[in-house]
Amino acid sequence: MGELSSLSGVSFLFMGTLLGIVVGAIPGLTGAMLIALSLPFTFQLSGSHALILLVSMYVGAVSGGMISATVLRIPGTPAAMITTLDGYPMAISGRGKRALSLGIWASFMGGMVSFLFLICLAKPLAAASTHLGPFESFGLVLMALVLLAVVEGRQFSLGILAGVMGMLCSIPGMSPATGELRWTLGWAPMSDGFKLLPVLIGLFAINGVFRELFQRKGGAEVARLGDSGEGIHRRDFGQHGWNGLRSAVIGTGIGILPGIGANVGSAVAYGVAKRFARNPGEFGRGSEEGVIASESANNATVGGALIPLIALGIPGSVIDAILLGALIIHGLQPGPLLFTHHPAIVHVVMVTYLLANGVMLGLMLIGARRMAALGEIPRWVLLPTILLFCVIGSYSLGHRIFDVWVMVGFGVLGWGMERLSIPLAPFVIGFVLAPLAEENLSAGLMASGGSWAPLLTRPLSCLFILISLVGAGTALWKARRRGTIKLGDPPAKE
Amino acid sequence: MSLLWNPPKSPGRFWFGGQALRVSFLLGMQWFIAVVVAHAAAESFPGRPVKVVVPFAAGGGSDTFVRILVKAIHEADLSPEPFTVINVPGAGGTIGSRRVRHAPADGYTLMNLHDGIITAKYSGTVPYGPEAFDPILGTGRVSLVITVSEESGINDLAALLEQMSAQPESIRFAANLGAPSHFAGLLLESHTAAKDGRFRFVTYGGGAKRFGALMGGHADVTVFSVAEFLAFRDGGLRALAIASRERSVRIPEVPSTEELGVPFRFDNTQFWWVPRGTAPERKRTLANILRSAMEHSEVKERLAAMQVEPVILEGVELEEALREKEEAIAALAIRRPLKIPGLEWGLLVVFAFLVVWQGMHSLRTKGSGPPREMIESSLDWGRAFGASTLFLIYLVLLGFEQVSFQWLTGGFLFGLGLLLTEKGHRPVVGLVAFAILMSLGVSWVFGTVLKIDLP
C-alpha cells in the first residue's frame, strides 16, 4: 500500500491515466493495445508499480473514448460506441460541453459503484459467476441481443436487419465453438475472419472521415464546443443519479461475465435506460440519459471485470487477460489464493482503481475545455491524422495489411448503410454477440449430447429465454399497433 | 497557425514560384532522412534486426515468453542487432505460421510456435505441419496436469480410465477444440485397458474458462498447465496425474503418469522455427543467441515464476521430440464435433427474408421513408473520387512494401491536405510541415518506441 503514497507510485498513477485517456481518445488506438505494448516496459518495475500503471491505463482508456465519440462521432475505443449515439447529436446542437461533463461525471460514478462491488462482494460474486453454465450464458446473450436489436431503432425492422448483417459478418473464419474453418472462400487470410477493431474503425471512423471528406461545404457538422457554456449543476445529480446508478450496476454485472466486454455493457445499460426513459424518442437524438447510461456502464465494466480476475484469476476481458499475464510475470500467482498470499497486491489493484477514477475525473474536467479544440483543428490536419491512426491501428493489431482492407471495406459498408438509414449500432452488437451465443450454445449442446432440453429445464436459462421472448413479442406488438414498423416515439411536433 | 497560413496570391505561383522550391526542399529533406534511417550495413549475420514472429496476440503466454527472452538478448548484448517481436495472431497461430512459411529463408525471420504447429495440421486448419519449417531450438517445457473437480467423484487416474471405458461419453472433457488440450484428451482415450475410452468433449477456450467450467460443474475433467493448476487448485480441483515421466518439483504430491503405469505423456514446448532452407550457420547463430538468453539469470527467474521448465532441446534430441509428438497425434482419429445445425445458412435465409421484406415495405410506403437530411445534395463527387483514389493508392503501395513508410505517408498526408483545402487558400508550408512532422513522428512513436513493425 505504501507504493501508492510514494512519489513514483503517484506519478505512475497520473501517467497511466493520462496515457490511457489520450490513447483512448485517438480513434484506431485502443486501451488493449496500449497495455499490451506497455507490458514489456513494466518488467523493470516492481509488481505493484506495474499494476498501478496498467490498471490506471485501463481506467483512462475506457474513459477517453468518449471524447472523440462526442466531438467527432468516432468512438475512440469500442467501449464508447454507444456514446456516439447521443453524445454527437448533443455536440452538434451546441451542448457538447455539457455532454462531455455529463459523460465524465457518469464515468466517475460508474467507477465508484463498481469499486464498491469490487471491495465488498468480489469473492461471492466471482464464485456465483461460475455457476452460469453454457445454457445460461446463451440465454443471457440472447436476452441482450433482443434488448439491443432496438437500441438505436427509429425503425425496428432496420435494426433487426442491421443486427443480422452483423451476425453474418461474424461467420467467416474459425468457428468459435469447434475451431473449424468456414466461409473463407479458400483464401488463407480469411481464416481468422474479421476482427472487431478493423470492423469498428471502418464502420465509424473511416465512414465518418469519408463523410466529412465528401461534403461540399467545409465542416458543416463539426461540433461546436467552445461556445456552449452550459456545464452541469448540482440538480443534475438528483435528476440523473438513478439512471447513472442503474447503468453502473448493469455495467458491473456484465463486466463480471467473462468475454463480454465494455461495449456490450454500455449497450445493455443504454437499452434499459431507453426502456425506462420518460421520452424514449429522444434517444439517438441527443438524450442526456443516453450519454449517462453509456458512460456510467462502460466504466463500471472495468471494475466488474476486475472482480473475477482478483477473486478467481479468471480474466473478464482482453485487457484483464493481459493484466493476468502481468501478475504472473511479476511472480504473483493469480487465482483463488491471491487474496490470502498477496493481500497487499490485491489492495494495490483496488485502491489504484479507486484513485485512477478520481484522477480521470480531475484530468478530464480540467481538459474538457481543451477537448473543444478538437473540433477547431483545421480539417486538413484532423481528417488525415485520424485516417493515418486508423490505418496504423488496424495494421498493428496483427501486422497484416489485410486488416486495413477489412477496415476500408467496412468503411464503405458503413457509409452505404447510413445512406440507406440502416443503423450501425445493432450491426456491431450482432457482430460481437453472435460468436458468444454460438460458442455457449455449442458448449451446452456438446455437454448435453445434443439435447436442447436444458435450455428450458435449467431455471435461469429458461428465465432468460422467456424474457427475450416477451421482449421480442412486445416490440413486435408495439410496432403493429402503431400500424407502422417504426419503434420509438415519433419526433415531437410541438 | 498564422505563421503557417501563407496563402499564395495565385494558384500559378504555387507551382512555379518560391513556394514550389520550399516544398521540394522540405520533401527532399524528408526523403533524405528516410534513406538514412533505412540504411543498414549488411556485412555479418545478423546485420539488421531479426523479426521474431509470435503467432498469438500481444500479452498472451507465448508473447510473454518470447518478450522475456528478447529483453534478455537486448540487455545482455547477446546479438549485435535487436530482435523485434511481431505479433501476427489469429486462427490458432496459423496466420503467423503461414507468413513465416513464405518469408525469405535468410535468417531474419524467426518464429516461436509451440505444439500448436502440429495440432493445426491434424485438425485440418492448415495443410502443413513442422515439416514446412526448419526447427532450430526447443526451449521451455510446460507439462500438463490431468485435473478433475472435487465434486466429480473421480479419485484417481485408474478410476477415470475405467469409467471412460465402462460408460463411454459419460465424462465431460473441457477442451479448446482443435488445439493441444483437445488432442491431450483424445490421446488419453487410447490409454484405457481396451483402448475403447471415449470422452464427451465440450468446447471451452483457455485455461481460465476451463477452470470456470469445472468449478461450476459444467465439465468433469480437463488438462491444465502446471502454472494454471497452481493458480486454480484451491478452487476445488483435484489433480489425477501429471502427464510426464517425472513428478514436478512444484507439485510433488501429484504422481506422474509414468509411475501410474500409463504411458501417457503430453507437454507443450516452445519451439523456434525458421523458413525451410535457411543456411545452417545462420541457424546455428540464432540458436546460440537463444540458448544464451535461456541461460540468463533473469530469464531463469521469470520462467520459474511462470512454472516453465527451462529445458533446451537441440539437434537430434529436438528432431526426436518433434517426431515423437507428431506420431502420437497423427495416430489419433478426430471425431467431428457437434455443431449447431443450420446456423450459417439459417442466418443467411433470415437475412434474405429481411432484405426482401424491407424492400417491399419501402416500395409500399414510398415517400414516407426516413429523412435523408445528412447526405443528399451535399456530396462533392470530385473530391470524393480524389480522396478515395488517393487513399486506395496509399494502401496498395503500403501493401507492396517497396516505398518507405515515412515517404509514402508524408506524400499521402500532403495530398489529402491539398484536397481538403480550397484552391487559392492553401497553407502550403503548413501542409508540408504537417505531413513531414506527422509521418516522422508517427513512425518514431510506433516504430522506435512501441516497436511495431510498420509496413
Side-chain angles (χ1 to χ4, degrees):
Chain A
M1 196 56 66
E3 279 85 359
L4 268 164
S5 51
S6 72
L7 186 65
S8 49
V10 172
S11 51
F12 282 127
L13 182 73
F14 272 89
M15 196 166 73
T17 315
L18 184 64
L19 268 175
I21 293 175
V22 171
V23 167
I26 298 176
L29 308 184
T30 63
M33 217 178 267
L34 174 72
I35 290 171
L37 292 172
S38 309
L39 188 58
F41 291 98
T42 69
F43 288 174
Q44 273 93 347
L45 310 177
S46 72
S48 27
H49 279 167
L51 283 166
I52 292 174
L53 185 71
L54 299 175
V55 170
S56 43
M57 280 177 172
Y58 192 2
V59 172
V62 85
S63 317
M66 89 168 91
I67 302 171
S68 37
T70 304
V71 183
L72 305 171
R73 194 174 174 263
I74 297 172
T77 50
M81 180 186 79
I82 298 297
T83 311
T84 58
L85 299 182
D86 286 296
Y88 183 71
M90 276 185 80
I92 54 172
S93 64
R95 290 182 294 152
K97 198 176 144 210
R98 180 162 167 83
L100 282 173
S101 311
L102 283 173
I104 293 166
W105 278 104
S107 296
F108 179 69
M109 185 167 177
M112 288 304 101
V113 170
S114 74
F115 171 74
L116 286 182
F117 278 99
L118 181 64
I119 53 166
C120 302
L121 295 168
K123 284 221 139 166
L125 276 180
S129 74
T130 64
H131 287 289
L132 287 184
F135 283 111
E136 286 85 2
S137 303
F138 171 73
L140 198 70
V141 172
L142 191 70
M143 195 171 81
L145 262 174
V146 170
L147 191 65
L148 303 178
V150 291
V151 85
E152 201 199 11
R154 268 167 233 174
Q155 263 197 305
F156 184 54
S157 58
L158 285 177
I160 299 276
L161 179 69
V164 173
M165 277 171 76
M167 291 173 157
L168 274 176
C169 288
S170 74
I171 297 279
M174 265 191 152
S175 151
T178 62
E180 289 172 317
L181 297 182
R182 57 190 182 190
W183 288 16
T184 63
L185 312 169
W187 190 36
M190 277 291 285
S191 53
D192 202 36
F194 306 126
K195 290 263 181 256
L196 175 63
L197 188 68
V199 168
L200 204 71
I201 297 177
L203 283 177
F204 287 93
I206 296 295
N207 165 22
V209 168
F210 271 80
R211 198 178 42 224
E212 280 282 308
L213 273 175
F214 294 180
Q215 231 152 43
R216 192 173 295 277
K217 282 257 185 81
E221 282 204 340
V222 168
R224 308 289 305 177
L225 293 164
D227 46 329
S228 52
E230 210 184 349
I232 69 168
H233 308 283
R234 204 173 298 148
R235 64 164 187 276
D236 286 325
F237 289 94
Q239 199 181 339
H240 292 301
W242 170 237
N243 177 16
L245 190 69
R246 180 184 55 215
S247 306
V249 172
I250 292 173
T252 310
I254 285 178
I256 295 174
L257 303 172
I260 307 183
N263 38 4
V264 178
S266 65
V268 172
Y270 185 88
V272 172
K274 187 174 171 179
R275 280 288 152 97
F276 287 101
R278 231 167 292 131
N279 43 354
E282 212 180 277
F283 276 67
R285 296 192 171 86
S287 158
E288 297 184 347
E289 289 162 85
V291 173
I292 289 166
S294 167
E295 280 307 316
S296 170
N298 70 18
N299 267 61
T301 55
V302 175
L306 284 174
I307 290 173
L309 180 77
I310 288 178
L312 296 175
I314 297 180
S317 71
V318 180
I319 295 184
D320 289 289
I322 303 172
L323 289 180
L324 189 78
L327 283 173
I328 295 174
I329 288 175
H330 288 284
L332 304 158
Q333 189 67 65
L337 277 194
L338 188 68
F339 263 114
T340 333
H341 288 169
H342 304 284
I345 208 76
V346 172
H347 293 142
V348 164
V349 171
M350 287 177 169
V351 175
T352 303
Y353 180 66
L354 175 76
L355 295 181
N357 267 295
V359 172
M360 179 278 295
L361 179 73
L363 289 176
M364 299 261 287
L365 283 180
I366 294 169
R369 208 168 299 250
R370 303 252 168 359
M371 294 167 198
L374 258 180
E376 315 252 314
I377 297 175
R379 282 163 18 111
W380 55 267
V381 172
L382 188 65
L383 298 185
T385 306
I386 294 176
L387 220 45
L388 182 60
F389 277 116
C390 291
V391 170
I392 293 178
S394 293
Y395 176 80
S396 55
L397 184 68
H399 293 90
R400 294 204 296 166
I401 219 74
F402 173 78
D403 286 327
V404 180
W405 287 111
V406 169
M407 172 190 85
V408 174
F410 278 90
V412 173
L413 182 73
W415 189 73
M417 281 170 67
E418 292 211 316
R419 289 212 69 156
L420 295 169
S421 308
I422 302 175
L424 297 181
F427 179 95
V428 177
I429 288 154
F431 182 81
V432 172
L433 287 185
L436 280 174
E438 184 188 350
E439 190 184 350
N440 281 307
L441 184 58
S442 293
L445 289 178
M446 285 177 193
S448 73
S451 160
W452 294 69
L455 265 182
L456 298 177
T457 54
R458 295 181 70 108
L460 265 180
S461 86
C462 183
L463 176 73
F464 292 146
I465 286 175
L466 276 181
I467 295 177
S468 342
L469 284 180
V470 170
T474 43
L476 274 176
W477 182 72
K478 269 189 191 167
R480 277 204 77 86
R481 194 185 52 165
R482 212 169 280 136
T484 73
I485 41 161
K486 280 183 186 171
L487 195 89
D489 290 346
K493 288 206 177 90
E494 296 83 36
Chain B
M1 198 46 69
S2 63
L3 277 176
L4 299 175
W5 189 281
N6 190 4
K9 294 281 181 302
S10 70
R13 231 193 105 205
F14 162 65
W15 293 112
F16 305 110
Q19 283 210 329
L21 273 179
R22 268 191 272 174
V23 171
S24 34
F25 172 71
L26 287 170
L27 288 178
M29 254 182 61
Q30 191 199 350
W31 177 80
F32 177 74
I33 292 166
V35 167
V36 168
V37 169
H39 182 75
E43 290 282 292
S44 61
F45 179 79
R48 56 188 160 93
V50 176
K51 293 180 178 178
V52 186
V53 172
V54 175
F56 298 97
S62 285
D63 179 66
T64 307
F65 176 82
V66 171
R67 284 180 195 268
I68 287 172
L69 256 71
V70 163
K71 186 166 165 271
I73 291 173
H74 172 71
E75 277 175 4
D77 235 344
L78 299 174
S79 161
E81 289 289 334
F83 278 46
T84 327
V85 180
I86 299 177
N87 299 92
V88 189
T94 58
I95 302 263
S97 69
R98 204 180 282 267
R99 170 174 306 187
V100 174
R101 192 173 168 226
H102 296 300
D106 54 8
Y108 288 105
T109 310
L110 182 65
M111 174 173 72
N112 171 279
L113 180 50
H114 52 56
D115 294 52
I117 196 169
I118 305 171
T119 54
K121 177 181 177 185
Y122 290 95
S123 64
T125 310
V126 281
Y128 58 85
E131 74 284 352
F133 305 89
D134 284 348
I136 59 170
L137 209 63
T139 55
R141 182 169 57 203
V142 173
S143 291
L144 296 185
V145 184
I146 308 165
T147 311
V148 294
S149 70
E150 275 174 359
E151 280 143 34
S152 65
I154 300 167
N155 292 320
D156 54 32
L157 189 61
L160 176 78
L161 295 178
E162 213 166 280
Q163 192 186 332
M164 184 166 40
S165 212
Q167 296 163 278
E169 302 215 354
S170 66
I171 301 175
R172 294 164 301 172
F173 189 107
N176 189 2
L177 297 187
S181 58
H182 185 195
F183 284 90
L186 287 169
L187 197 58
L188 189 55
E189 286 180 344
S190 62
H191 286 285
T192 54
K195 299 193 186 307
D196 59 349
R198 272 168 91 97
F199 282 119
R200 176 181 282 182
F201 286 99
V202 184
T203 182
Y204 277 100
K209 276 193 183 170
R210 300 205 289 275
F211 168 59
L214 288 198
M215 282 266 296
H218 313 298
D220 305 303
V221 57
T222 191
V223 285
F224 287 122
S225 70
V226 176
E228 284 166 344
F229 177 72
L230 277 171
F232 300 140
R233 69 162 155 195
D234 299 289
L237 300 182
R238 180 184 294 138
L240 299 183
I242 180 162
S244 62
R245 283 200 179 87
E246 292 108 31
R247 296 185 178 210
S248 156
V249 277
R250 287 306 302 269
I251 35 171
E253 71 280 9
V254 177
S256 74
T257 44
E258 198 81 2
E259 66 185 85
L260 292 175
V262 182
F264 166 71
R265 286 197 303 276
F266 207 96
D267 58 58
N268 216 353
T269 308
Q270 297 286 356
F271 296 107
W272 297 83
W273 313 86
V274 285
R276 193 139 197 92
T278 304
E281 67 276 5
R282 295 199 166 182
K283 288 195 275 188
R284 219 167 308 133
T285 311
L286 290 173
N288 286 340
I289 295 173
L290 290 170
R291 197 180 330 96
S292 322
M294 281 297 284
E295 281 152 11
H296 195 258
S297 61
E298 200 185 331
V299 169
K300 284 191 166 164
E301 229 170 81
R302 299 241 181 260
L303 293 190
M306 294 168 69
Q307 314 299 335
V308 177
E309 290 173 64
V311 292
I312 295 180
L313 299 172
E314 223 176 336
V316 187
E317 220 184 343
L318 172 63
E319 284 179 10
E320 185 66 22
L322 280 168
R323 200 178 48 77
E324 201 178 297
K325 278 169 182 278
E326 189 165 359
E327 271 173 8
I329 285 176
L332 298 173
I334 304 169
R335 303 191 289 277
R336 293 194 74 76
L338 196 139
K339 286 171 68 173
I340 303 173
L343 171 80
E344 298 92 350
W345 300 106
L347 266 180
L348 206 59
V349 169
V350 172
F351 175 67
F353 168 78
L354 283 171
V355 168
V356 170
W357 192 66
Q358 192 65 40
M360 278 165 53
H361 173 79
S362 55
L363 278 182
R364 211 167 46 227
T365 58
K366 209 166 183 183
S368 69
R372 292 179 150 194
E373 70 279 342
M374 324 188 288
I375 358 147
E376 293 301 332
S377 80
S378 61
L379 280 178
D380 182 340
W381 287 107
R383 193 205 274 157
F385 180 75
S388 320
T389 315
L390 190 66
F391 191 43
L392 292 185
I393 291 175
Y394 173 61
L395 293 183
V396 168
L397 288 180
L398 268 188
F400 282 131
E401 301 195 7
Q402 295 302 319
V403 191
S404 89
F405 175 80
Q406 294 96 326
W407 189 205
L408 200 58
T409 304
F412 166 68
L413 294 175
F414 180 71
L416 204 57
L418 283 186
L419 276 173
L420 274 168
T421 42
E422 300 290 320
K423 240 185 204 164
H425 297 282
R426 291 205 166 102
V428 177
V429 178
L431 275 178
V432 173
F434 163 68
I436 293 178
L437 280 178
M438 200 68 197
S439 75
L440 288 184
V442 158
S443 58
W444 181 74
V445 169
F446 288 92
T448 313
V449 180
L450 294 176
K451 298 201 172 71
I452 287 173
D453 189 53
L454 293 169

